[in-house]
Amino acid sequence: MPSLWKHANVLPIPKVNPPKSIESDLRPISLTATVSKVLEAIVGSWILDIVGSQLDNHQFGALKGRSTTHALVDILHHWHKALDEGQSVRVPFVDYAKAFDHVDHDVLLQK
């Protein structure tokens, strides 16, 4: 892949208007070359064709035609089914705010 295709223009887009803090109120958006986006889509399609049948049916993220809304509908269906059958439903909620930002990226790369 040519190095020019790997370059991106990063634009700081405000999450709130007006932004008060550079660290928390701006979101970086990377504008990459159209050719690299097309290449990424082609390679992604090839990979999905190979591993798609091995993915869990409850995998909702990063798949075309699936979203967090689909995940919520799926889990609500399971909860309602359990309640209709007289079972109880217990759910722990965990907030992973900026979880990826707090991971040591060197350790992540080693894994």
Side-chain angles (χ1 to χ4, degrees):
M1 182 180 229
S3 63
L4 184 61
W5 292 3
K6 297 177 187 178
H7 290 193
N9 292 329
V10 180
L11 300 177
I13 305 297
K15 294 179 184 179
V16 294
N17 200 4
K20 297 174 185 161
S21 167
I22 291 176
E23 292 83 18
S24 62
D25 293 343
L26 294 176
R27 170 183 304 128
I29 302 295
S30 298
L31 303 176
T32 56
T34 302
V35 176
S36 66
K37 291 178 188 177
V38 170
L39 180 61
E40 181 181 316
I42 291 169
V43 172
S45 175
W46 289 343
I47 292 172
L48 191 58
D49 287 344
I50 295 168
V51 299
S53 62
Q54 299 171 10
L55 294 177
D56 189 316
N57 287 333
H58 299 289
Q59 169 68 37
F60 294 99
L63 290 177
K64 188 174 185 176
R66 291 192 174 198
S67 67
T68 53
T69 303
H70 291 98
L72 289 171
V73 168
D74 182 63
I75 196 67
L76 283 171
H77 168 74
H78 289 290
W79 291 348
H80 284 262
K81 183 178 176 189
L83 292 173
D84 288 344
E85 294 172 356
Q87 300 173 355
S88 63
V89 175
R90 295 183 182 112
V91 183
F93 290 96
V94 181
D95 182 9
Y96 291 107
K98 296 192 178 250
F100 186 75
D101 295 339
H102 298 302
V103 172
D104 182 348
H105 294 149
D106 292 330
V107 172
L108 185 63
L109 287 172
Q110 288 175 1
K111 298 282 181 184

